[in-house]
Amino acid sequence: MFAQFLSVARAAAFRLGNARHCYVLAPSGQVPAHPAFSARNRSAVYTRFMRLALITGFCICLLDAAEPQQLFNGKDLSGWEMVGNGHFVVENGQLRTEGGMGLLWYRGRKFGNETVRVVFRTPGEHGNSGVYIRIPEAPPDPWYGVHYGYEVQIDAAQDDWHSTGAIYSLSPVLMRAQKPRGEWNTLDIQLDGQITRVYLNGKLVNRFDPQRPVADRKMWYEPVRGPRPDSGYIGLQNHDAQSVVYFREVSVRSAPEVEPLVPAPLSSGERNVLLSYLHSSRRQVMDSIVGLSPEQLNYKPAPERWSVAEIVEHLALTEDLIRDAVRKALASAAPAAAPDGPTDQQIIDRYKDRVNRAEAPPALRPGAKWKTAGELT
């Protein structure tokens, strides 16, 4: 994963490298030749950009996963088999539960060390269903998945042991993350050896390790305790005639080398590291312009060159662009694998090059918005 991150960071830095030439070197490729803007100042601006580029690469890297295998084609139940009295119907490209207790299982193959994704919605407050995982063999009846596999529960109205994202009666949810009725929810179930992680709408709501003690079985309908296989069949539950749940996607993709597959909330440590990088590089830029007069800030050695104030304004515009790019990337599907890019040394050499200069795009060109150090800070 670290090599993967480096390759993405390299690609991001290479694509954005010309922007570095723009605001560090100005449109013509040179820093204004005023003695107040020293090598220290240039280094501060460069450091600020590189840290932003690496953070961008890190965020996009989280999304880099294999293309999913769609198990539901949106048309019929090809590849699936039903056991029990209940059943599923296909309408408007969606699966809808109907009738009594039933289990719709995918007979194509078993799944292990992969991530199962189910996109569902409940029209009412008490929509009850579930996703079965680790079923060891073809289920002969609808209760087989309960007692010999695990059920990842779907039901916003129950307690923590039986609510959406819980491993039914075995592992409670860490938090509630289901959206209001009628809205679509994304449930990602990561199978990692014996470990099961459940993400609901991008938030880690469960991490179940069967090697740890579990609560005693209290009711006959609760699952039999005991080991389950690393890989097994998967299925969807039809709970009862009163519970209606819709599914528009059932897919599976290869598990990532490190968790999480989907972007999860940053830990306090990760957040502190990123904020420290941003704050320290911002401080470097601000310190580099302290004491400069308006004349020094707005000095241009030539009409086509940028002033120090314009360079800092360009940096601010670039940060907004990077921030928006990260947000869009995290909200979109995983990108296709990028071709091999330049090496680290080639990137460094390109940054040092003063011959091949590039112009900033119009959206990132400064407009003399700030004139004084006070306005800049």
Side-chain angles (χ1 to χ4, degrees):
M1 188 66 168
F2 181 68
Q4 187 180 39
F5 162 69
L6 281 180
S7 66
V8 174
R10 286 174 186 169
F14 183 75
R15 287 191 296 270
L16 297 174
N18 284 339
R20 181 262 179 185
H21 284 269
C22 293
Y23 72 74
V24 176
L25 304 178
S28 60
Q30 293 183 353
V31 171
H34 193 283
F37 202 72
S38 63
R40 176 177 63 85
N41 303 80
R42 295 194 293 273
S43 175
V45 177
Y46 171 74
T47 300
R48 178 72 170 167
F49 171 77
M50 284 306 298
R51 288 179 173 178
L52 286 165
L54 288 175
I55 291 169
T56 303
F58 171 76
C59 293
I60 295 173
C61 187
L62 291 175
L63 294 170
D64 193 14
E67 284 296 313
Q69 175 191 355
Q70 298 296 334
L71 305 183
F72 169 53
N73 62 18
K75 301 176 182 178
D76 54 40
L77 295 177
S78 298
W80 296 82
E81 187 171 325
M82 192 77 197
V83 292
N85 294 325
H87 56 278
F88 283 74
V89 296
V90 180
E91 60 179 34
N92 300 321
Q94 304 166 21
L95 289 169
R96 176 173 58 82
T97 62
E98 190 173 271
M101 180 71 172
L103 166 58
L104 179 68
W105 64 285
Y106 185 76
R107 64 174 183 267
R109 66 179 178 90
K110 295 181 178 181
F111 300 93
N113 294 314
E114 294 168 281
T115 295
V116 178
R117 168 168 289 187
V118 172
V119 180
F120 72 93
R121 67 179 176 90
T122 58
E125 298 292 346
H126 301 284
N128 192 333
S129 183
V131 181
Y132 292 109
I133 56 174
R134 304 184 188 275
I135 304 174
E137 55 189 29
D141 62 72
W143 287 98
Y144 190 86
V146 174
H147 296 301
Y148 297 97
Y150 293 134
E151 178 190 353
V152 180
Q153 175 75 343
I154 294 176
D155 190 344
Q158 300 299 319
D159 61 36
D160 288 351
W161 291 85
H162 307 88
S163 67
T164 303
I167 309 297
Y168 191 83
S169 92
L170 293 169
S171 180
V173 293
L174 303 173
M175 62 184 299
R176 303 292 184 110
Q178 184 167 334
K179 297 178 182 178
R181 61 181 180 179
E183 296 186 29
W184 289 103
N185 298 268
T186 300
L187 188 66
D188 286 295
I189 306 167
Q190 191 181 88
L191 308 176
D192 182 8
Q194 282 286 296
I195 304 297
T196 302
R197 301 181 191 90
V198 181
Y199 296 87
L200 180 58
N201 297 318
K203 298 178 180 179
L204 179 65
V205 297
N206 209 326
R207 184 186 185 280
F208 176 52
D209 182 353
Q211 301 301 318
R212 304 185 67 177
V214 298
D216 293 335
R217 186 182 183 217
K218 298 178 180 180
M219 305 297 292
W220 66 269
Y221 52 79
E222 293 186 334
V224 172
R225 273 50 175 165
R228 268 60 164 178
D230 285 359
S231 63
Y233 293 108
I234 66 171
L236 303 176
Q237 182 195 64
N238 188 81
H239 189 270
D240 61 83
Q242 285 71 45
S243 291
V244 178
V245 179
Y246 291 86
F247 300 86
R248 73 176 182 188
E249 179 183 341
V250 183
S251 62
V252 65
R253 70 184 70 208
S254 300
E257 296 177 16
V258 295
E259 59 180 292
L261 172 64
V262 295
L266 292 174
S267 69
S268 59
E270 292 169 333
R271 186 179 298 276
N272 287 339
V273 168
L274 293 180
L275 289 177
S276 176
Y277 263 62
L278 291 174
H279 288 318
S280 63
S281 56
R282 180 183 185 276
R283 187 69 265 164
Q284 284 180 279
V285 173
M286 294 300 100
D287 287 347
S288 71
I289 64 173
V290 169
L292 297 185
S293 67
E295 291 74 20
Q296 290 174 319
L297 285 170
N298 295 286
Y299 171 78
K300 291 185 177 184
E304 72 276 6
R305 304 289 178 86
W306 283 353
S307 66
V308 174
E310 287 174 323
I311 291 173
V312 176
E313 181 183 345
H314 173 68
L315 178 59
L317 293 171
T318 303
E319 290 190 11
D320 287 341
L321 177 71
I322 292 176
R323 180 199 62 210
D324 292 342
V326 169
R327 286 178 176 173
K328 290 179 181 178
L330 294 177
S332 63
D340 291 338
T343 64
D344 291 339
Q345 189 58 50
Q346 287 172 329
I347 294 175
I348 292 171
D349 291 341
R350 184 178 178 86
Y351 284 161
K352 291 179 178 179
D353 184 15
R354 295 299 188 267
V355 177
N356 298 316
R357 300 164 183 169
E359 289 191 11
L364 300 183
R365 294 175 188 170
K369 190 175 185 179
W370 302 305
K371 296 291 187 182
T372 67
E375 292 174 341
L376 284 170
T377 56

